[in-house]
């Protein structure tokens, strides 16, 4: 792996040294250093341990090559991690006597983030992108793989300037073996139309097909199930001349989530939906106010053969603490994981931001949150309120320092189930700073 990365870096340096000869080739990257501090994020309980403090770093290197008119290639490396960040001081197996000081992260902690070819078929309006690249559909509440990309093929065309139509095939998982095969593919048909400058509306129809046995070692025929999930999306966004911007998305899902081969198991069908509405109003690029509404259906605990919860594959985050870290309460002393998007959640958000100076920005978001369905009998639906603050300062043209803070005030959704329940309703908070260098 080190030899491969060494060769890649050598190629990057060669391109950088010959930038004049290859004017269409760009070599760049980013270095991000992040500090995070969190309290009560795991149990909302002041009387128990629940604080976290750590430093992390993320590195990206990319090569963007414009080979010819209508032909380009792109390759990007990123440090390993769920979002590319790695914690400082992580043990890499160093067995030296001084265990207090671990070695730096090694090159085998770097992975390819994107690697794809993008070209137009000569003398036609048809373009093809193939390889490993990000897939973002609509406003990202359904599918967003921009963190690490997806293997896929996208064919698109603009027969007229205002219209774009496309078809994509993407691989979510692949098992290249005859035994216990389990594959997941996503097929997308899409179209968008710019009906006036800066205003676009469109739709896409996604079909997620999963076939094979369960992703576990030694799976038998009884563990086999198929999945045929459809997601139909309508979306729009735009900006009007008097400073008003808007966005809209509606998703409806149908199909089969679990089509079991074993007759002893009951098949489960899908029936979720989601709605996203947003409006912004800006004044002279100095002050901006926003209103956002998000709604994602939840699964009723009274129905076993139908999942009515909104299912997604994305990075859609709206709050710093609740959605990203805490999640909903799913049972006695149990909090669900973060990064679940709009599933079983409604939120109302108002925010305001300002740019008091050319290189400075400040903003505040206030959220009211509610669950759509109860996760267990008798659970309340009032999730609570959250206030998020942000401050950004552009120190240099290529160096920015960002500060983020979130304060989550839980509602009665998290009230104790019984005397052994350790989840409480104490406030949780998070703070982080990110120093980002681009070159």
């Amino acid at each position: 792996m080190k030899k491969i990365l060494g060769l890649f870096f050598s190629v990057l340096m060669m391109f950088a040294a010959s930038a004049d000869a290859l004017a269409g080739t760009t070599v760049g990257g980013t270095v991000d250093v992040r500090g995070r501090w969190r309290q009560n994020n795991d149990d909302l309980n002041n009387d128990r341990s629940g604080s976290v403090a750590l430093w992390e770093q993320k590195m990206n290197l990319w090569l963007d090559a414009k080979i010819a008119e209508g032909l380009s290639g792109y390759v990007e490396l990123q440090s390993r991690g769920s979002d590319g960040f790695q914690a400082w001081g992580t043990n890499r197996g160093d067995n030296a006597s001084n265990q207090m000081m671990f070695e730096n992260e090694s090159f085998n902690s770097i992975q390819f983030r994107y690697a794809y070819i993008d070209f137009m078929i000569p003398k036609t309006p048809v373009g093809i992108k193939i390889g490993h690249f990000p897939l973002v559909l609509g406003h990202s509440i359904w599918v967003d793989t921009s963190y690490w990309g997806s293997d896929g093929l996208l064919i698109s065309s603009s027969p007229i300037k205002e219209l774009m139509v496309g078809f994509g095939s993407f691989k979510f998982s692949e098992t290249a073996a005859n035994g216990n095969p389990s594959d997941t593919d996503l097929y997308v048909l899409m179209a968008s139309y710019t009906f006036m400058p800066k205003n676009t509306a469109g739709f896409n129809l996604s079909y997620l097909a999963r076939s094979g046995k369960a992703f576990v070692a030694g799976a038998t025929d009884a563990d086999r199930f198929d999945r045929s999930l459809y997601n139909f999306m309508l979306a729009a966004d735009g900006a009007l001349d008097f400073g008003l911007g808007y966005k809209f998305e509606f998703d409806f899902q149908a199909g089969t989530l679990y089509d079991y081969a074993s007759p002893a198991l009951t098949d489960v069908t899908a029936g979720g939906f989601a709605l996203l509405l947003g409006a912004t109003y800006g004044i002279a690029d100095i002050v901006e106010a926003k209103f956002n509404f998000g709604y994602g259906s939840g699964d009723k605990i009274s129905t076993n053969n139908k999942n009515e919860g909104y299912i997604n594959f994305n990075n859609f985050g709206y709050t710093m603490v609740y959605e990203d870290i805490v999640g909903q309460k799913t049972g006695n002393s149990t909090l669900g994981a973060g990064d679940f998007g709009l599933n079983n959640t409604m939120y109302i958000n108002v925010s305001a931001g300002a740019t008091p100076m050319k290189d400075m920005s400040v903003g505040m978001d206030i959220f009211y949150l509610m669950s759509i369905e109860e996760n267990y009998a008798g659970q309340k639906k009032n999730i609570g309120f959250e206030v998020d603050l942000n401050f950004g300062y552009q120190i240099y043209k290529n160096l920015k320092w960002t500060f983020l803070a979130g304060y989550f005030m839980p509602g009665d959704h998290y009230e104790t189930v019984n005397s052994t329940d350790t989840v409480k309703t104490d406030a949780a908070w998070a703070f982080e700073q990110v120093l980002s260098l681009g070159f």
Side-chain angles (χ1 to χ4, degrees):
M1 183 64 182
K2 290 185 179 181
K3 293 181 179 179
I4 295 175
L5 292 173
L7 177 62
F8 183 81
F9 284 122
S10 299
V11 173
L12 285 179
M13 294 304 101
M14 179 186 70
F15 277 124
S18 58
D20 292 337
L22 296 171
T25 300
T26 303
V27 177
T30 59
V31 175
D32 298 286
V33 180
R34 179 170 72 183
R36 281 184 158 182
W37 296 265
R38 298 173 175 177
Q39 182 68 37
N40 292 338
N41 285 203
D42 58 345
D43 56 13
L44 305 176
N45 190 343
N46 282 330
D47 297 330
R48 293 169 57 88
S49 61
S51 61
V52 175
L54 71 158
W55 283 93
E56 300 172 303
Q57 181 168 307
K58 178 168 72 76
M59 181 277 292
N60 294 75
L61 286 174
W62 62 75
L63 171 66
D64 188 2
K66 309 297 184 184
I67 308 300
E69 183 68 27
L71 173 62
S72 64
Y74 185 87
V75 177
E76 182 173 343
L77 297 177
Q78 180 169 271
S79 49
R80 176 184 285 175
S82 61
D83 57 358
F85 280 94
Q86 292 211 18
W88 284 4
T90 302
N91 186 356
R92 291 298 168 200
D94 184 359
N95 294 318
S97 57
N98 185 4
Q99 289 294 306
M100 294 297 292
M101 299 294 290
F102 295 120
E103 294 179 353
N104 293 329
E105 298 292 348
S106 56
F107 278 124
N108 62 6
S109 295
I110 300 174
Q111 296 179 329
F112 283 93
R113 184 189 188 195
Y114 305 143
Y116 61 86
I117 302 168
D118 194 357
F119 65 98
M120 299 291 296
I121 297 178
K123 300 180 181 180
T124 74
V126 178
I128 296 178
K129 181 183 288 187
I130 186 169
H132 193 79
F133 55 92
L135 171 64
V136 180
L137 298 177
H139 297 289
S140 80
I141 65 174
W142 157 234
V143 170
D144 182 348
T145 66
S146 55
Y147 272 164
W148 283 104
S150 302
D151 295 332
L153 165 68
L154 177 62
I155 302 173
S156 61
S157 177
S158 294
I160 59 175
K161 181 181 179 181
E162 296 81 8
L163 176 65
M164 187 284 294
V165 294
F167 172 78
S169 173
F170 301 90
K171 179 65 68 173
F172 275 18
S173 63
E174 177 72 278
T175 302
N178 291 327
N180 291 345
S182 296
D183 298 333
T184 305
D185 300 278
L186 181 71
Y187 304 96
V188 183
L189 179 65
M190 64 186 76
S192 64
Y193 182 72
T194 302
F195 55 91
M196 58 185 293
K198 300 181 181 180
N199 291 265
T200 302
F203 83 93
N204 69 67
L205 175 62
S206 301
Y207 172 60
L208 183 73
R210 188 243 190 247
S211 62
K213 300 177 182 179
F215 290 100
V216 293
T220 64
D221 287 337
D223 299 310
R224 180 185 177 90
F225 66 88
D226 296 328
R227 175 178 292 177
S228 301
L229 177 63
Y230 296 88
N231 188 94
F232 179 74
M233 176 193 301
L234 293 174
D237 64 88
L240 304 177
D241 292 338
F242 52 88
L244 179 66
Y246 64 90
K247 64 181 178 181
F248 162 82
E249 180 173 329
F250 176 76
D251 292 61
F252 176 77
Q253 298 175 339
T256 304
L257 290 178
Y258 298 97
D259 183 7
Y260 291 100
S262 173
L265 300 174
T266 303
D267 295 341
V268 179
T269 60
F273 69 94
L275 175 65
L276 185 69
L277 297 172
T280 63
Y281 184 72
I283 303 175
D285 296 328
I286 298 176
V287 178
E288 184 178 62
K290 296 181 180 180
F291 170 83
N292 291 289
F293 173 83
Y295 184 102
S297 62
D299 185 28
K300 296 180 180 179
I301 60 176
S302 59
T303 57
N304 296 323
N305 61 347
K306 187 174 185 178
N307 188 328
E308 297 173 295
Y310 178 66
I311 298 169
N312 53 73
F313 305 89
N314 62 19
N315 301 317
F316 181 71
Y318 39 94
T319 67
M320 184 178 179
V321 181
Y322 163 71
E323 192 281 332
D324 189 46
I325 309 171
V326 174
Q328 297 184 15
K329 188 173 182 180
T330 58
N332 181 48
S333 298
T334 306
L335 291 180
D339 295 325
F340 54 88
L342 279 178
N343 181 270
N344 196 38
T345 301
M346 183 201 78
Y347 73 82
I348 298 173
N349 162 235
V350 292
S351 68
T355 307
M357 299 172 54
K358 178 182 177 181
D359 300 322
M360 183 182 299
S361 63
V362 294
M364 179 177 68
D365 286 87
I366 301 175
F367 293 86
Y368 169 69
L369 302 145
M370 187 181 79
S371 66
I372 307 305
E373 301 289 344
E374 58 187 15
N375 295 303
Y376 52 85
Q379 185 183 33
K380 304 295 192 303
K381 296 182 179 181
N382 176 27
I383 291 174
F385 288 87
E386 179 165 333
V387 178
D388 294 340
L389 305 174
N390 66 80
F391 172 82
Y393 178 52
Q394 198 77 39
I395 305 174
Y396 292 93
K397 180 180 178 181
N398 296 334
L399 182 65
K400 184 176 182 179
W401 209 338
T402 304
F403 298 85
L404 304 169
Y407 191 81
F408 176 51
M409 295 160 280
D412 53 13
H413 171 88
Y414 299 92
E415 288 183 347
T416 57
V417 174
N418 54 43
S419 59
T420 64
D421 192 347
T422 56
V423 174
K424 304 299 181 184
T425 56
D426 297 327
W429 59 263
F431 172 79
E432 69 179 54
Q433 57 175 353
V434 183
L435 188 63
S436 300
L437 172 68
F439 54 88

